[in-house]
Amino acid sequence: MAVVSCDDPKFGARLIPVDEALQRLSEQVKPVTEAEWVSVSDSLLRVLAEPVFSTINVPPLANSSMDGYALRAADLITEPTKSFRVSQRIPAGSVGESLEVGTVARIFTGAPLPDGADAVVMQEVCTVHEADSEVSITISGTVKVSENVRDAGEDIRENDEILSAGHRLAPQDLGLLASVGVTKVKVFKKLRVAVFFTGDELREPGEPLGVGQIYNSNRFTLVAMLQRMGCEVINLGIVTDTLEGTIEALSQAASQADLVMTSGGVSVGEEDHVKAAVESLGQLDLWSISIKPGKPLAFGQINSEGQSVPFLGMPGNPVSVFATTCILGRPFIQAMQGMPFKCIQGFKVPAAFELNYTVRRQEYLRVRLQHDDAGGLALQSFPNQSSGVLTSASWGDGFAIAREGSAVKKGDVLEYLPFSFFDL
């Protein structure tokens, strides 16, 4: 796929297209290798370090998928309406006796089929008769072999691989593990991510604001996103806007973590010291991406105690932090956790808005999926797409991608990335 790039005199370098930046990030992944055993109940969001195999069949025996009567299907072939004596009752958790010839067994959902039975007829098509302490039923119609029956091993067979290494465990996976009797799983240790935030203007919520000061919203956005991804977050707080302070904070962060992330200080202003600080401690591999919002994202390596620790410098604007963490940070972090490097793929939806300019950097617009007048789906754009308007991210339910060099008109089909695809 051809990409469009541009030079930006402000940054003094070629802006790197998003696809190229993702490719280069994928080549720099250093996944965690240490693993530990944890209980299934404590394994949510953890990444499997080895595959899990089943030691049993699920279900262990052929069983009924509904309340009804177990019988031989052949007994109804010659007579579409026939009466049977009920010879036994089999609730879930019990195993019945072999089915007497010419009889049926009262059976309940999940109960194993008795030997000799090969089908279950639902109770709704049966007429029950009781006389002299004996129960019989009349069935109208026919039943096929295996009808309303769940076969042994229908879900899982013994020795099947049920979950592969590199899989992040979701709630349904914990249920799957429990269904085969697994109590512990081997998972990679949590990725330790040290974060800090630059800016003398930043204050924490609860502190009084002076003139020109703002609350540190980026801390709450970034830390929450990392926690949602299953990371162990080391929060080093706010760092003063000096080169010396930034170098000290980066050194401290790299000594404690598998990945260092910052917010702010990666642009080209006189008070932006992160780029110089990283270069003094290691190297900068990526800087200035052709993305909007989030152009001044940086990636590099920090040398610490004989090791090279990856560094991700996120921009300082609130929406830029959110967008670049979703688009560029998330696949890199997940790959470091032991998962494949995988970018989110969206789906095509027409725009119910237009942009009155030609897109110069690939834009991730905050949008909502809505129904148009004809009942179809369309994307509504938040009216203010500034990187400082965090309201747009709370209002929206996804990103719409406007490609470089395009001019969006109403009805144009755009790629839509729901926030839910990012587990947000």
Side-chain angles (χ1 to χ4, degrees):
M1 179 178 66
V3 294
V4 179
S5 62
C6 62
D7 293 332
D8 191 321
K10 178 181 175 183
F11 280 73
R14 166 181 171 264
L15 296 182
I16 300 168
V18 173
D19 289 344
E20 181 182 332
L22 286 165
Q23 177 62 37
R24 289 166 66 173
L25 283 171
S26 71
E27 296 167 354
Q28 297 292 328
V29 172
K30 299 174 183 177
V32 293
T33 56
E34 290 185 80
E36 60 185 348
W37 289 91
V38 300
S39 67
V40 168
S41 59
D42 293 329
S43 66
L44 184 64
L45 298 182
R46 302 299 295 272
V47 180
L48 287 173
E50 60 181 32
V52 180
F53 296 88
S54 176
T55 59
I56 62 172
N57 289 325
V58 180
L61 298 170
N63 66 86
S64 177
S65 65
M66 62 179 56
D67 294 349
Y69 296 89
L71 74 167
R72 295 176 180 84
D75 288 344
L76 281 176
I77 291 176
T78 57
E79 298 180 52
T81 300
K82 191 172 182 178
S83 294
F84 296 88
R85 179 172 63 87
V86 180
S87 57
Q88 59 180 306
R89 183 177 185 274
I90 312 173
S94 300
V95 178
E97 301 174 351
S98 294
L99 188 65
E100 295 179 30
V101 176
T103 71
V104 298
R106 176 69 166 128
I107 197 166
F108 296 88
T109 304
L113 258 65
D115 288 342
D118 58 16
V120 173
V121 61
M122 66 178 66
Q123 62 187 17
E124 289 82 358
V125 300
C126 301
T127 303
V128 180
H129 312 282
E130 295 188 36
D132 300 326
S133 301
E134 185 172 283
V135 179
S136 63
I137 63 168
T138 300
I139 303 172
S140 297
T142 59
V143 65
K144 298 178 181 178
V145 172
S146 297
E147 189 168 334
N148 302 321
V149 173
R150 294 181 291 220
D151 293 330
E154 179 179 284
D155 183 10
I156 300 167
R157 293 198 172 275
E158 184 178 355
N159 298 320
D160 277 355
E161 180 182 311
I162 60 169
L163 292 169
S164 58
H167 181 81
R168 185 195 292 282
L169 294 170
Q172 61 269 33
D173 299 322
L174 273 56
L176 179 61
L177 291 167
S179 75
V180 298
V182 171
T183 60
K184 291 185 177 182
V185 286
K186 191 175 185 180
V187 296
F188 290 114
K189 286 197 170 182
K190 285 189 175 184
L191 185 73
R192 296 168 300 167
V193 184
V195 299
F196 66 82
F197 307 86
T198 68
D200 290 339
E201 76 280 12
L202 297 178
R203 292 293 179 270
E204 294 296 337
E207 297 178 355
L209 287 180
V211 176
Q213 295 178 337
I214 59 173
Y215 288 123
N216 184 14
S217 63
N218 288 347
R219 169 196 161 194
F220 292 85
T221 300
L222 182 57
V223 169
M225 293 177 78
L226 291 170
Q227 290 173 336
R228 190 70 173 261
M229 286 186 271
C231 300
E232 177 185 331
V233 181
I234 303 167
N235 181 14
L236 300 179
I238 299 170
V239 174
T240 57
D241 280 332
T242 65
L243 179 59
E244 295 77 13
T246 305
I247 291 173
E248 182 180 351
L250 286 172
S251 297
Q252 181 184 356
S255 68
Q256 301 179 58
D258 304 303
L259 170 67
V260 177
M261 293 186 72
T262 63
S263 170
V266 291
S267 191
V268 292
E270 293 180 6
E271 300 300 322
D272 294 319
H273 302 292
V274 171
K275 178 178 181 290
V278 171
E279 290 175 326
S280 73
L281 296 171
Q283 65 185 51
L284 203 62
D285 301 313
L286 276 179
W287 187 52
S288 65
I289 313 298
S290 186
I291 186 173
K292 183 179 179 181
K295 175 170 60 175
L297 178 136
F299 173 78
Q301 311 289 330
I302 300 170
N303 298 324
S304 175
E305 300 174 357
Q307 294 187 335
S308 181
V309 179
F311 163 80
L312 269 174
M314 318 310 284
N317 282 316
V319 185
S320 300
V321 169
F322 176 73
T324 52
T325 301
C326 285
I327 305 304
L328 295 160
R330 181 180 183 273
F332 181 79
I333 290 167
Q334 289 191 332
M336 285 196 70
Q337 292 173 309
M339 290 178 280
F341 190 103
K342 186 177 180 181
C343 302
I344 295 296
Q345 298 296 314
F347 54 94
K348 303 295 187 180
V349 183
F353 63 92
E354 60 181 39
L355 301 180
N356 59 1
Y357 56 87
T358 299
V359 176
R360 295 188 66 239
R361 290 178 279 138
Q362 185 157 297
E363 291 197 34
Y364 290 82
L365 305 163
R366 280 72 70 204
V367 296
R368 268 185 186 173
L369 192 63
Q370 63 176 16
H371 288 283
D372 60 22
D373 295 338
L377 293 175
L379 297 174
Q380 178 185 0
S381 173
F382 192 76
N384 188 339
Q385 291 288 327
S386 168
S387 60
V389 179
L390 192 55
T391 307
S392 65
S394 289
W395 172 90
D397 57 22
F399 296 112
I401 303 178
R403 305 290 180 183
E404 296 172 356
S406 67
V408 179
K409 303 297 182 184
K410 287 183 179 180
D412 286 352
V413 176
L414 302 178
E415 184 176 359
Y416 168 63
L417 306 176
F419 291 157
S420 59
F421 282 16
F422 300 96
D423 300 323
L424 299 174

